[in-house]
Amino acid sequence: MNNLPRIQPVVTAFLIQNGKVLLFKRSQRVGSYRGCWAAVSGHMDTSPLAQVYTEISEETGYTPEELVLLKEGQVFEYHDTALGIRWQIHPFLFHLKIDRPPKIDWEHTDCRWVLPPEIASLATVPLLKEAFESLSG
């Protein structure tokens, strides 16, 4: 029997504007970390860059033309022993060029703009603060 954790590649995208980061509260309909604050994220079905644009479009309604890619970060892993998953996280940082609220989909119940230091005080998905800091340093 194979007890090794399943490897799950995912993308996570931080959208920033006016010094603040856009975070989303995960709904009860998602597969993991329900009720936690997160960046735009999703399972990877294609290349990391193509996937991150797909996730941003699906979860916010923002188009690639409304974004500026600032940084593609180093891939890192988080082993969630409770779920038996080794998340392989591909982080991205984007500047949002327009001033329009996101059109959130079923994956989220709320969104808010926060200052980067506020991330540490929220109930977030694992390593959200560290992922953001890896991109903004």
Side-chain angles (χ1 to χ4, degrees), residues 2-70:
N2 183 352
N3 286 332
L4 293 175
R6 179 169 57 99
I7 294 174
Q8 178 62 63
V10 293
V11 294
T12 190
F14 293 92
L15 307 183
I16 61 169
Q17 188 177 68
N18 300 322
K20 292 188 173 183
V21 184
L22 185 57
L23 296 183
F24 299 86
K25 190 165 192 178
R26 294 172 60 80
S27 78
Q28 295 302 308
R29 296 168 62 190
V30 295
S32 59
Y33 309 115
R34 295 178 186 104
C36 292
W37 289 92
V40 171
S41 59
H43 291 205
M44 225 162 61
D45 301 319
T46 181
S47 73
L49 191 59
Q51 190 68 48
V52 81
Y53 280 115
T54 297
E55 296 298 333
I56 291 170
S57 175
E58 288 175 356
E59 296 181 25
T60 69
Y62 298 135
T63 66
E65 296 76 31
E66 297 169 328
L67 303 162
V68 176
L69 175 60
L70 298 176

Side-chain angles (χ1 to χ4, degrees), residues 55-134:
E55 296 298 333
I56 291 170
S57 175
E58 288 175 356
E59 296 181 25
T60 69
Y62 298 135
T63 66
E65 296 76 31
E66 297 169 328
L67 303 162
V68 176
L69 175 60
L70 298 176
K71 187 171 183 182
E72 181 173 350
Q74 291 293 316
V75 176
F76 67 96
E77 289 191 352
Y78 171 71
H79 184 185
D80 189 321
T81 54
L83 295 178
I85 298 174
R86 185 178 295 277
W87 300 104
Q88 190 179 71
I89 302 159
H90 298 254
F92 291 85
L93 181 65
F94 290 90
H95 168 70
L96 181 61
K97 295 193 279 187
I98 59 157
D99 188 16
R100 184 185 82 229
K103 298 178 186 127
I104 60 175
D105 70 357
W106 63 270
E107 294 181 55
H108 305 110
T109 58
D110 197 5
C111 66
R112 72 165 73 148
W113 288 97
V114 302
L115 291 169
E118 293 178 72
I119 296 172
S121 67
L122 297 171
T124 69
V125 297
L127 301 182
L128 188 70
K129 177 177 79 76
E130 292 81 358
F132 179 76
E133 289 172 350
S134 77

